[in-house]
Amino acid sequence: MVIRSLRRAWQDPFYRHSAVLFSASLIVAFLNYLLHPILARMLPLHEFGDVEALLALYGMLATLMSGFSIATVHASVNCEDKAECSAVVASLQKTALILIGSVFLVLVISSRFLASQLHFSSAWLFVVLGVILFANTLQSFRMSYLQGQRMFPTMSIANIISSGGRLALAALGVWVGWHAFGAAVGILCALLISLAFTSWKTRHALTAHTQGLGKERVREELSLVGFFAISTIFVTILYNTDIIVVKRFFAPDVAGLYSGISTIANIVLFLTSSFAAVLLSSVKRSHNVDERRRAFMKAIKLIGGGGGVFTIVCLIFAAPITTLLMGSRYLGMAYLLPWLVTAFFFSSLANVCINFAIALRQKGLIPLALCVSFVLVTLIAFRHGSPLEIAQNYLIVNILAAIGTGIFISRHLIPEKT
């Protein structure tokens, strides 16, 4: 009976693709997790806090380009002509590289100021960050094309290469005596290796030039980028800005300890993000309500299962989980884990709702995202006296985001009355 059910589930493309991505996500999550305790043991607390904050900044700034990535997925899913799809991607990539080049210049020019404001040990970390962002932009277009074409095994291999290389090369950079800078260079080198792999895999597909598109079509695609970017930046704000906030308001050692706990809580996002990715590439605007609802409910069930179990384990065994995953040095802040893991579980629910809205181009999501983000900024402005208050702020906002986005998309899941 069980085998028969599993066989039926495997025949469903959504579950099959989710299984592939989820399996890869487990490997990637494990490799990404290993990076943090290894660096935590190799680096002083303040330098470990530098690396964690650098990764958080990388996540935030990379999200600025995420609108182009989502537009690439959308084009790959909805364009029947592969030559047209390649031309759209080429047009989006050209614009994205111009923008990320501007961000790189800003990071280089303001590196000393940023290092002093965020208590970084070296301004060179921001220069490396700029190069990482440039390489990530090139990589994201290739990964988005693969996602839109549902080439999930290739995506999975690229992610594993990046995560495994990041672990080995970042540790090597610290071991040779380059400290936090060495870790940052290692992360960059791993990304370049993964980029070489995806470039080879897409060498025939992404060869078109922007001249193949009319100006109206280019404007149409670029007009979607802002909507996609705001939506994905909103997701990033929900789970990837807490470390930067703590880094701003507290001493470097406190930020380093908090970063370790936040890293554990973020595992729930690694475990569930693959389901939202499959949903984004599975829902077309031409689908009817029943098809949309089936795909959405599959993603919710998978998130509730995988993410829910991890969340419950962290709620019950916060101290043992902290000791196991990060070491006894972080036990002093283990009380934050239940707050943060619950917050990030709700952000994973909000994430799947947001990806559903993105797939349907529901631009009404933007006012909701701005309102919830304003609530978070307001809470942080008035409640930042302790790391616990920061964690509570994120729990409140993520619950609001999950409820708000759920209500927003509900009208696209309920059949109209005849």
Side-chain angles (χ1 to χ4, degrees), residues 390-403:
I390 301 297
Q392 290 171 341
N393 291 342
Y394 277 85
L395 176 58
I396 292 168
V397 168
N398 276 290
I399 291 174
L400 289 176
I403 294 173

Side-chain angles (χ1 to χ4, degrees), residues 138-139 142 192 194-204:
L138 294 172
Q139 172 74 328
R142 285 149 183 79
L192 292 175
S194 182
L195 172 60
F197 171 75
T198 55
S199 297
W200 176 62
K201 285 293 184 179
T202 58
R203 64 191 183 282
H204 298 304

Side-chain angles (χ1 to χ4, degrees), residues 234-235 238 345-355 398 401-402 405:
F234 178 46
V235 176
L238 294 177
F345 174 70
F346 277 102
S347 72
S348 68
L349 294 176
N351 185 31
V352 75
C353 294
I354 290 167
N355 274 272
N398 276 290
T405 54

Side-chain angles (χ1 to χ4, degrees), residues 22-36:
F22 180 70
S23 299
S25 294
L26 287 177
I27 298 173
V28 170
F30 179 67
L31 293 172
N32 284 335
Y33 148 69
L34 280 180
L35 174 68
H36 303 285

